[in-house]
Amino acid sequence: MRRIIIDTDPGKDDAVAILLALAAPEELELVSITTVAGNVPLSRTTANALALLELGGRAGVPVFPGCARPMIRLPITAEHVHGETGLQGLVLPEAQAPARPQHAVDHLIEALLREPAGSITLCLLGPATNLAMALVKAPEIAPRIGEVIWMAGARSEGGNVTPAAEYNVYADPEAAAVLLDSGVPLTMLPLDLTHQVLMTRDRLLALRKVDTAAARAVAVMFGDADGNPQREREKDGIPLHDPCVIAHLLDPTLFTGRRINVAVETASPVSLGMTVADWFHVTGRPQNALWLNETDADRFFELLLTRLARLP
């Protein structure tokens, strides 16, 4: 049993990740969800997290709203990818359970100081603002974190928001720099990996045969895979970025990579948010992340469909 906190900005792929986590109660204890501004503004990411918990039959999981903007920059949202609400055509009833009044940053600090050292894994599905702010406010939490698993970055694939930068890093590069310099055990799942995990037409058809509310919700959000992608880069299928974080916890053999040094560009107007991944150890800088870059996509989707079929 791995005890996890999901930090998220739902986002359709975040939504799939949350549902996948809820479908694994034997392996994952979801302590809480913290929300952050990212794909859509904070009010929507929080509402989406609450609604998804109800969809998955777990309305009792506490949700703590966090930072409404990056550490020093203006917010950059992605409604053009995720739709106005963040859930790309999916309409869920308003959640009955309210968000908790405590700020996510303070909740992270409190939880990490309260629980045994190393017992909490943080699953980051969006910009790293909440965790970075917690590390700045209370640096003593760093050695108490069991592991951070973050969908972020790119090397061979270039960027998906600029030619150089992946969205979760670009949305708050200073937060990424704080995390990368913190010394916490860090695993990164970059676009190099997630662009191999595509919702294709055939996989969408298989998903539609899974007759659960969760599976139907995912099929709605990724209906563009049915031969009509909105973006040229997705003509072969739509990547499921964030669910890879949860899949890695459920079956670490799905993904492989190597430990490297990763740095982030925070100054250049041309390459802001670029993750400089030292794959061949040419800089001599210490290794600070496990960078995963290969996967078995068929096994990933087998896991996803099997788990979604288990939800109410």
Side-chain angles (χ1 to χ4, degrees), residues 2 4 28 121 123 147 149 244-252:
R2 184 86 76 105
I4 67 171
L28 303 177
T121 295
C123 300
E147 184 180 8
I149 305 175
C244 292
V245 170
I246 305 302
H248 173 64
L249 289 174
L250 297 179
D251 185 357

Side-chain angles (χ1 to χ4, degrees), residues 106-173:
D106 295 320
H107 167 65
L108 289 172
I109 293 170
E110 181 182 282
L112 289 165
L113 293 178
R114 179 186 67 237
E115 301 297 331
S119 65
I120 298 292
T121 295
L122 302 179
C123 300
L124 270 59
L125 311 181
T129 313
N130 285 338
L131 179 54
M133 290 294 289
L135 288 164
V136 170
K137 185 176 182 180
E140 64 270 22
I141 67 174
R144 302 189 65 82
I145 298 171
E147 184 180 8
V148 175
I149 305 175
W150 189 22
M151 190 276 118
R155 175 178 170 263
S156 62
E157 286 292 292
N160 62 352
V161 64
T162 75
E166 179 274 328
Y167 174 79
N168 285 343
V169 179
Y170 184 77
D172 197 343

Side-chain angles (χ1 to χ4, degrees), residues 4-239:
I4 67 171
I5 294 175
I6 294 179
D7 187 77
T8 180
D9 60 336
K12 60 184 183 180
D13 56 324
D14 306 67
V16 183
I18 291 170
L19 293 172
L20 183 56
L22 297 179
E26 298 88 359
E27 298 98 332
L28 303 177
E29 178 188 346
L30 181 54
V31 175
S32 59
I33 290 180
T34 53
T35 58
V36 67
N39 291 318
V40 288
L42 180 67
S43 60
R44 288 197 181 276
T45 64
T46 303
N48 289 348
L50 290 165
L52 288 162
L53 286 170
E54 291 205 2
L55 175 66
R58 296 283 295 282
V61 174
V63 175
F64 298 86
C67 295
R69 54 166 293 169
M71 294 183 78
I72 66 171
R73 300 179 186 272
L74 294 175
I76 300 168
T77 56
E79 288 92 346
H80 65 289
V81 175
H82 298 272
E84 182 180 354
T85 69
L87 299 183
Q88 187 69 29
L90 178 64
V91 179
L92 294 175
E94 185 175 344
Q96 298 301 305
R100 299 297 176 93
Q102 187 180 35
H103 194 281
V105 171
D106 295 320
H107 167 65
L108 289 172
I109 293 170
E110 181 182 282
L112 289 165
L113 293 178
R114 179 186 67 237
E115 301 297 331
S119 65
I120 298 292
T121 295
L122 302 179
C123 300
L124 270 59
L125 311 181
T129 313
N130 285 338
L131 179 54
M133 290 294 289
L135 288 164
V136 170
K137 185 176 182 180
E140 64 270 22
I141 67 174
R144 302 189 65 82
I145 298 171
E147 184 180 8
V148 175
I149 305 175
W150 189 22
M151 190 276 118
R155 175 178 170 263
S156 62
E157 286 292 292
N160 62 352
V161 64
T162 75
E166 179 274 328
Y167 174 79
N168 285 343
V169 179
Y170 184 77
D172 197 343
E174 284 75 21
V178 169
L179 177 54
L180 287 165
D181 291 341
S182 68
V184 304
L186 175 62
T187 295
M188 297 182 69
L189 295 92
L191 299 183
D192 309 37
L193 174 76
T194 64
H195 280 179
Q196 300 172 43
V197 181
L198 300 177
M199 179 69 79
T200 62
R201 176 183 288 185
D202 288 345
R203 288 169 177 159
L204 180 61
L205 291 174
L207 176 65
R208 286 174 173 155
K209 295 177 182 177
V210 180
D211 191 23
T212 64
R216 290 193 295 269
V218 175
V220 168
M221 291 185 289
F222 286 86
D224 289 348
D226 199 5
N228 188 33
Q230 294 182 358
R231 285 161 290 280
E232 190 271 339
R233 194 172 190 173
E234 296 179 351
K235 62 183 183 297
D236 296 323
I238 302 174

